[in-house]
Amino acid sequence: MVSATTAPPSPHSRENAGKVTAAKAIAQRKRRSQILRTYLGVGFILVWGLAPFYWMVVTAFRDYRYTFDTTPWPTHITFDNFRSALTPRAGNDFMGAIINSLIIGAATTAIALLLGIFTAYALARLDFRGKYVVTGVILGAAMFPTVSLVTPLFQLFTDINWIGTYQALVIPNISFVLPLTVYTLTSFFGDLPWELEEAARVDGATRAQAFRIIMLPLAAPALFTTAILAFIFTWNEFLLASLLSNRSTEPVTVAIARFAGDNPFAQPYSAIMAAGTLVTIPLVIMVLIFQRRIVSGLTAGGVKS
Amino acid sequence: MAESARAGGANASGPSLPPQQAGPSLPPQQAGPSRRKRDWRPVYLIAPSMVILAVVIMYPVLRAVYLSFQSDRGFDQDTGRFIDGGFAGIAHYTRWIFQQTTSSLGETISCPPGTLCSNFWESVGVTFFFAGVTVTVEVVLGFWMAIIMSRTFMGRSLLRASVLIPWAIPTAVTAKLWYFIFADQGIANRIMGRQVGWLTDDWAARFAVIISDVWKTTPFVALLILAGLQMIPQDVYEAAKVDGANAWQRFTQITLPLVKPALMVAILFRTLDVLRMYDLPAILHGVSGASPTTTVSILVVADIRQGNFNSASALSTLVFLMIFGVAFIMVKWLGANAIRTQDAERKGA
């Protein structure tokens, strides 16, 4: 699959020396057409990933009277849409929603990571009966339909007056963030050079000391990656938040979904695109900076654990 | 195979990990003599997570099952609190499955059009239709993308970052973005030069959901398959080439079987994800039983919005059973038994 540019000399080539030049020419032509197809594919994938996102950003910067312009570059550039999105008005406090999302995301990530470290250590490192049961429970929890939780939680939180509190959003979010952190960390922990831990224990450290002093620094990148993933997942959550929050605690996803502009009879597309750009830019920057880590975190959970 | 899987994983985890100077980790027999005694450490380490999962998942699920067998709660004007409605049997379940309801005269009638229960089987059909089409398109397209991304070319990491963007955009924003693209005067209709009612016409609306979801998650599928592709040792291909296998044979005889575990995990994850889909159709076409894109999750929320907690509980229990059933069948049939085989593989078995 990966380019055939440097095929090692095969044993056959010595016996069939005459055919080599012809084969070389064919191979070269093949290679050139493959390079061309690769770049066409790369172009397609780039357009796929970026075009709709680009269109959102362009619209966000375009004067709302020209929202449906089809020029592929921004015309009639203005920052009014961002101002309109961020101005608190009846029923819309986008700035507040961003702060809510930050609080909910940080709290959920911190709790899930703390609990996840212990469980992942045990799963990656210790042999015990019922390990598969635990792994199965956690994988099952990750695939669990969120909608099965909302009815009882909605009723419970109404009864105990939790609607409109942060804990009403943080605690249910743990149901899908914790499984994610556990299986991402388990997979990362599995790759750590545990011989160092053995060595520390031979030198007299307890298991806890060995983990804290030797392994935790080595695991830091994995923890960091997992934290990013957990944060992005919480930041993007919508179903739980749409039912369990009120105006004072709603996160950005809910705020965007019911975004209403100044004019009740027109869809405020430009302002929504501006709001969407604001919510997405931090994630895009994170993705660009930590691309390698995020990919390894995502695939570690899915492919290996 | 096991060796290369481990090496691939180490590289993917980032440059900060030292190279694998030592071989596989020590066999468990050497972990120490304490293994003979009952070892409580796993219990301490795992208990907190299990407790919290029990609280946030087990409790709501059991409570939902309980609620689904109860009559609706009444509102007591004197105390300002809700009072329980008593045992209802399987009435809520028959309401959904047989689409029957009780009329004001107390007789059992089939759900009148426009009520939520009249939409049950249609929304089940829509949900499975979404799952079938979306996962098929995503896997085929994702596989192709993964093959392109596994080649060597300039700006590889830039490409991988750019495919992560659709994945990282919150689904709520994705839905609003496509809502704009699919607007009557939107860019989609402009490019195609025709008026498609993406937000009004039944089938166009369904395909609007599918297109948005495929856009958002194909890159994720591609990355999962790419990770699987990278675990295949290159010398296998060289050997096959020497033996005269052509590109198609190499694909079907080497790539497909070796990438199968990653592929199965991607299919399983995505299928279950689409079966519980809520955000995209809810934001694109609204939360109601009447929308052509009402998935079962949306139907549950629509029922909650009408204040029918008990029948919503019954419906959410049905959704849970449906997804559990599909997961069970897929794990059995597709051999997506990822936990056991790959754990064994990691141990070098």
Side-chain angles (χ1 to χ4, degrees):
Chain A
M1 239 8 69
V2 178
S3 71
T5 42
T6 49
S10 67
H12 297 268
S13 59
R14 228 172 301 148
E15 291 144 37
N16 306 325
K19 292 180 186 168
V20 166
T21 40
K24 241 186 194 168
I26 294 170
Q28 207 166 29
R29 209 177 313 143
K30 254 189 171 169
R31 213 176 70 203
R32 238 181 255 140
S33 92
Q34 199 195 26
I35 289 172
L36 183 70
R37 273 180 293 144
T38 302
Y39 277 98
L40 281 177
V42 169
F44 175 83
I45 297 172
L46 268 180
V47 171
W48 174 283
L50 295 180
F53 171 68
Y54 174 78
W55 198 238
M56 175 168 79
V57 178
V58 165
T59 311
F61 281 106
R62 190 174 272 165
D63 188 288
Y64 73 95
R65 280 161 296 193
Y66 299 89
T67 298
F68 288 111
D69 261 21
T70 45
T71 38
W73 49 86
T75 48
H76 309 280
I77 295 176
T78 171
F79 288 92
D80 284 353
N81 301 320
F82 291 94
R83 209 170 299 136
S84 162
L86 287 173
T87 313
R89 67 171 75 79
N92 261 329
D93 179 9
F94 198 69
M95 210 51 211
I98 291 179
I99 293 167
N100 288 338
S101 277
L102 286 173
I103 294 172
I104 297 161
T108 310
T109 304
I111 296 171
L113 206 58
L114 189 68
L115 293 168
I117 290 172
F118 297 122
T119 310
Y121 177 86
L123 288 177
R125 198 56 194 128
L126 304 176
D127 260 317
F128 56 93
R129 272 198 303 168
K131 190 169 174 174
Y132 292 128
V133 177
V134 173
T135 318
V137 165
I138 288 166
L139 269 176
M143 296 170 186
F144 195 80
T146 319
V147 81
S148 297
L149 308 178
V150 292
T151 330
L153 289 178
F154 183 76
Q155 214 172 34
L156 174 71
F157 291 168
T158 312
D159 282 354
I160 60 174
N161 268 326
W162 268 23
I163 302 286
T165 60
Y166 290 117
Q167 66 267 28
L169 296 171
V170 170
I171 293 172
N173 271 340
I174 291 173
S175 71
F176 63 91
V177 178
L178 182 60
L180 173 91
T181 51
V182 170
Y183 67 65
T184 314
L185 282 177
T186 306
S187 167
F188 277 141
F189 282 2
D191 288 336
L192 291 180
W194 293 104
E195 295 74 23
L196 293 179
E197 192 203 28
E198 309 287 351
R201 295 194 57 216
V202 169
D203 290 347
T206 64
R207 219 181 239 271
Q209 280 175 324
F211 182 76
R212 197 160 40 86
I213 300 168
I214 310 288
M215 299 319 286
L216 211 53
L218 284 174
L223 294 178
F224 183 67
T225 305
T226 312
I228 295 178
L229 288 177
F231 187 82
I232 292 181
F233 272 83
T234 322
W235 182 269
N236 295 355
E237 204 284 325
F238 175 74
L239 172 55
L240 287 166
S242 70
L243 281 164
L244 302 177
S245 71
N246 67 4
R247 293 290 159 87
S248 63
T249 52
E250 71 178 12
V252 284
T253 47
V254 180
I256 284 211
R258 51 169 208 77
F259 198 97
D262 299 312
N263 180 352
F265 299 106
Q267 272 291 335
Y269 289 115
S270 318
I272 295 174
M273 292 303 117
T277 307
L278 286 175
V279 172
T280 309
I281 290 294
L283 298 186
V284 169
I285 292 173
M286 259 205 257
V287 160
L288 290 180
I289 297 177
F290 304 115
Q291 170 262 132
R292 206 175 280 273
R293 293 188 175 291
I294 292 175
V295 171
S296 68
L298 278 177
T299 50
V303 178
K304 292 202 295 146
S305 82
Chain B
M1 181 61 203
E3 270 302 323
S4 74
R6 202 179 301 117
N11 292 339
S13 310
S16 55
L17 291 175
Q20 307 220 322
Q21 27 349 29
S25 59
L26 299 174
Q29 282 77 7
Q30 297 179 20
S34 65
R35 271 181 54 78
R36 295 292 124 226
K37 286 183 286 174
R38 181 82 174 91
D39 187 357
W40 288 102
R41 279 176 324 214
V43 181
Y44 298 142
L45 292 169
I46 284 170
S49 289
M50 289 293 132
V51 168
I52 197 121
L53 284 182
V55 172
V56 294
I57 293 185
M58 278 289 277
Y59 163 74
V61 167
L62 294 178
R63 175 85 187 153
V65 172
Y66 167 78
L67 285 175
S68 69
F69 291 111
Q70 297 287 311
S71 299
D72 288 337
R73 292 202 292 182
F75 187 70
D76 190 348
Q77 292 289 350
D78 301 332
T79 56
R81 288 197 148 269
F82 286 97
I83 47 168
D84 284 346
F87 186 66
I90 55 166
H92 295 302
Y93 289 96
T94 53
R95 182 176 117 102
W96 294 112
I97 294 172
F98 301 113
Q99 303 194 315
Q100 285 169 343
T101 190
T102 318
S103 76
S104 51
L105 298 171
E107 51 197 0
T108 307
I109 54 165
S110 60
C111 289
T115 54
L116 290 178
C117 56
S118 70
N119 293 99
F120 175 71
W121 284 108
E122 194 189 338
S123 70
V124 170
V126 166
T127 309
F128 276 96
F129 174 72
F130 281 167
V133 176
T134 310
V135 174
T136 309
V137 175
E138 281 174 3
V139 166
V140 173
L141 209 56
F143 213 124
W144 176 77
M145 283 188 183
I147 288 171
I148 297 284
M149 287 195 285
S150 69
R151 293 186 184 150
T152 31
F153 52 86
M154 266 176 19
R156 232 154 80 118
S157 56
L158 194 76
L159 186 72
R160 287 187 197 176
S162 76
V163 301
L164 272 173
I165 288 174
W167 169 83
I169 296 180
T171 313
V173 176
T174 306
K176 281 292 182 187
L177 170 57
W178 287 92
Y179 186 77
F180 171 60
I181 290 174
F182 285 137
D184 278 346
Q185 301 166 272
I187 188 79
N189 279 346
R190 292 289 185 88
I191 287 178
M192 297 192 312
R194 35 202 289 216
Q195 284 293 316
V196 178
W198 295 104
L199 304 170
T200 47
D201 181 65
D202 280 11
W203 282 99
R206 286 177 192 138
F207 277 100
V209 171
I210 289 172
I211 291 168
S212 330
D213 197 53
V214 165
W215 175 71
K216 186 180 168 57
T217 38
T218 302
F220 171 71
V221 175
L223 288 176
L224 280 184
I225 297 172
L226 176 63
L229 284 178
Q230 285 175 331
M231 287 184 184
I232 303 175
Q234 281 312 301
D235 36 349
V236 181
Y237 288 110
E238 302 302 344
K241 251 186 222 168
V242 170
D243 289 345
N246 63 32
W248 177 248
Q249 284 169 327
R250 290 198 300 269
F251 179 75
T252 52
Q253 307 289 316
I254 300 175
T255 311
L256 268 183
L258 288 183
V259 92
K260 195 182 157 204
L263 199 60
M264 289 307 151
V265 169
I267 291 174
L268 178 70
F269 271 46
R270 284 302 306 147
T271 306
L272 300 184
D273 240 13
V274 184
L275 287 179
R276 61 184 173 180
M277 176 153 64
Y278 175 80
D279 310 23
L280 264 178
I283 299 172
L284 269 175
H285 303 114
V287 177
S288 82
S291 158
T293 59
T294 299
T295 61
V296 282
S297 291
I298 291 181
L299 206 57
V300 175
V301 175
D303 210 26
I304 295 176
R305 293 250 171 106
Q306 296 191 357
N308 305 323
F309 294 107
N310 299 93
S311 72
S313 296
L315 183 55
S316 73
T317 307
L318 288 174
V319 173
F320 168 68
L321 291 175
M322 181 184 98
I323 291 181
F324 182 82
V326 171
F328 187 80
I329 292 170
M330 288 186 85
V331 170
K332 280 271 172 213
W333 277 16
L334 295 178
N337 195 351
I339 318 165
R340 221 172 266 259
T341 49
Q342 296 191 359
D343 197 60
E345 208 169 79
R346 192 158 54 218
K347 281 186 194 147

